[in-house]
Amino acid sequence: MRILVTSPRVAPGLLTLEGWDALRAASLVLAPEEDPTVEAVRAAGIDVRVETLDGLTDAGADTVWIAPSGDVEWAHTLADSLLDRSANGADPAGEIEIVFGSYDLPGARLLDLVAVMDQLRVECPWTREQTHASLQQYLLEESYEVLDALDRGDTDELREELGDLLMQVVFHAAVAARPVDGADEDGWDIDDVAAGIVEKLVRRNPHVFGDGDAATADEVDAAWQRLKATEKQRTSVLDGVPPTLPALAYADKVVGRLQRDGDVPVPDGGTLGERLLALVLEARATGEDPEAALRRTVNALVP
């Protein structure tokens, strides 16, 4: 007897060859409830009977059960029940095999996150009232918590904090897709966000996805910057540098942009600001991030 397990994150009719072979070879196909997989199997011309184990008398060794979508625990519970019945002399099931009819692909759990956020946007009073503006503080806080986990080298916490930051991205997309009462629609959702970054990554990495010939990290970065400049058509080298960055990070970004057009002179150190800027130039010359370096040093003072 076989038990077919499928993923709720894969279209119901997209089963593995092993899954379809098991269904076609079965003399009886059973399922505990109606669900999209059952409908897809029926649409393929295979009869499926909705049944419970209690009172079942006509199941044989070549019977296939279709587990509720994604419910591996149900499949194992059924297998244990079948073995118990067989040991007690009822419904000899023979060997019991769990067959996976579909598997989650990498990134499949992102679909769960989108579904949960969509439900919260509809059913949760607090989530329903949020706007892009009201979420700003949380986006900033979560970003800094990610940086803190990175500085401390705590990879378990980093995973958790990245999840919180990812939630903010999905939250903003949900706000755009489902605006609060009276607000204008933004006209995009999480699929548009993902499509945009996929297109950008493919477009700006022709050495991987096209006929580019960049062979080193420096060549890749240079090609990226050239393509970015062509796409953005900015009137100033500083266009796109957010002035709301922390001061050291802002200085580092500005200096980096200016250095593309030539050397930036080292200040003579007359004022505190000039001495700080000189340190930023020193950090860039050695490949260090001044913002991160200062943050780590300050954190070392904290008991």
Side-chain angles (χ1 to χ4, degrees):
M1 186 172 291
R2 293 177 172 179
I3 305 171
L4 184 69
V5 177
T6 59
S7 168
R9 304 170 193 92
V10 177
L14 297 179
L15 302 182
T16 61
L17 179 60
E18 184 182 13
W20 280 119
D21 285 346
L23 289 167
R24 293 191 179 102
S27 62
L28 178 63
V29 179
L30 303 171
E33 60 187 35
E34 298 281 359
D35 73 5
T37 298
V38 171
E39 296 174 5
V41 171
R42 285 195 183 122
I46 298 174
D47 184 50
V48 182
R49 193 172 88 202
V50 175
E51 186 64 84
T52 62
L53 187 58
D54 296 335
L56 183 65
T57 58
D58 56 346
D62 58 352
T63 296
V64 171
W65 282 87
I66 300 177
S69 183
D71 199 339
V72 179
E73 183 178 352
W74 183 93
H76 286 290
T77 300
L78 175 64
D80 291 341
S81 298
L82 290 170
L83 289 173
D84 288 343
R85 288 166 64 98
S86 183
N88 293 327
D91 300 333
E95 183 179 353
I96 297 175
E97 178 185 5
I98 293 180
V99 176
F100 285 88
S102 56
Y103 300 88
D104 285 348
L105 296 173
R109 295 308 300 270
L110 292 173
L111 298 176
D112 292 344
L113 175 58
V114 172
V116 167
M117 182 54 66
D118 284 346
Q119 185 172 353
L120 287 170
R121 186 66 175 164
V122 173
E123 299 180 16
C124 172
W126 184 88
T127 305
R128 195 166 54 235
E129 292 179 358
Q130 301 311 304
T131 65
H132 293 305
S134 70
L135 293 174
Q136 280 182 302
Q137 60 176 319
Y138 305 111
L139 180 60
L140 187 61
E141 289 171 6
E142 300 300 352
S143 298
Y144 280 120
E145 288 176 8
V146 168
L147 290 174
D148 181 52
L150 281 168
D151 285 343
R152 290 185 288 104
D154 189 332
T155 57
D156 287 337
E157 186 173 351
L158 175 61
R159 173 190 52 77
E160 179 181 351
E161 297 301 346
L162 285 172
D164 292 341
L165 184 58
L166 176 61
M167 188 269 285
Q168 292 300 315
V169 175
V170 176
F171 203 157
H172 277 279
V175 169
R178 294 180 179 275
V180 295
D181 294 342
D184 293 334
E185 290 189 16
D186 292 323
W188 50 268
D189 59 15
I190 192 63
D191 286 320
D192 296 304
V193 174
I197 189 59
V198 167
E199 291 170 2
K200 181 185 292 185
L201 288 172
V202 171
R203 188 172 62 247
R204 293 192 185 173
N205 287 281
H207 60 290
V208 175
F209 303 103
D211 56 1
D213 57 0
T216 68
D218 287 342
E219 290 175 348
V220 170
D221 182 62
W224 176 286
Q225 298 301 338
R226 286 196 301 271
L227 289 167
K228 182 177 180 180
T230 301
E231 294 167 10
K232 296 294 185 180
Q233 293 293 312
R234 287 170 170 160
T235 58
S236 167
V237 70
L238 298 181
D239 284 353
V241 178
T244 52
L245 284 171
L248 274 180
Y250 180 61
D252 183 43
K253 198 75 173 176
V254 169
V255 167
R257 291 287 187 90
L258 294 176
Q259 285 179 335
R260 295 177 194 169
D261 291 338
D263 292 334
V264 176
V266 179
D268 59 15
T271 66
L272 177 61
E274 289 174 335
R275 295 196 297 274
L276 289 172
L277 182 56
L279 288 173
V280 170
L281 288 164
E282 178 184 332
R284 289 196 60 84
T286 58
E288 290 191 71
D289 178 350
E291 183 79 22
L294 180 59
R295 187 172 59 249
R296 287 194 296 268
T297 302
V298 172
N299 285 340
L301 300 175
V302 181

